[in-house]
Amino acid sequence: MKKAELGPYAPQAYNEKQIYEKAKAEKEVTIYSYSSRVHQFGKTFEQQFPGIKVKGFDLDSTEIVTKILAEQKAGNYVADVIFLKDPSTVHHELLEKDISSPMFLLI
């Protein structure tokens, strides 16, 4: 979290240009989504933010949580964004167990 400047280490001011530059340096954002629209969104995102490729995965919510837990246990932090329709699952299965992905987007 400290290296990624998230949570208690997040800067006080939001700097979109700085975030974009950091993302371009990584060249890719990985999204686990319960919606197949992740692929359509990815194309739009890539057009609006040149230099960043979207690697989208269309999975159901249970698969996403299982995948995140396995990756965290292995020390393999893949997902940058997870998009689930059940925030309580994220809270109970990930946040309460102190499992965190760099970013969570919940609906």
Side-chain angles (χ1 to χ4, degrees):
M1 302 258 311
K2 188 173 186 176
K3 183 180 177 185
E5 297 179 334
L6 297 171
Y9 307 102
Q12 294 296 319
Y14 175 77
N15 184 328
E16 186 175 335
K17 185 177 188 311
Q18 183 182 33
I19 292 169
Y20 178 52
E21 292 303 319
K22 286 182 178 183
K24 281 193 332 189
E26 290 188 23
K27 298 183 173 125
E28 184 176 85
V29 61
T30 301
I31 302 172
Y32 295 167
S33 173
Y34 81 95
S35 171
S36 61
R37 292 179 286 174
V38 69
H39 303 294
Q40 181 182 5
F41 161 81
K43 291 176 188 174
T44 303
F45 183 93
E46 289 171 359
Q47 290 171 351
Q48 290 183 334
F49 299 98
I52 305 171
K53 179 161 177 50
V54 173
K55 188 173 184 181
F57 294 86
D58 177 16
L59 307 162
D60 70 37
S61 293
T62 304
E63 290 174 313
I64 292 171
V65 170
T66 301
K67 189 169 180 59
I68 292 286
L69 290 172
E71 289 171 352
Q72 295 277 318
K73 185 176 182 180
N76 186 21
Y77 307 99
V78 178
D80 296 301
V81 177
I82 63 171
F83 181 56
L84 300 171
K85 63 181 175 182
D86 184 7
S88 62
T89 299
V90 173
H91 189 273
H92 176 71
E93 293 296 327
L94 302 175
L95 298 177
E96 282 185 0
K97 296 177 181 176
D98 202 26
I99 303 288
S100 60
S101 182
M103 182 185 314
F104 289 109
L105 174 60
L106 310 172
I107 288 205

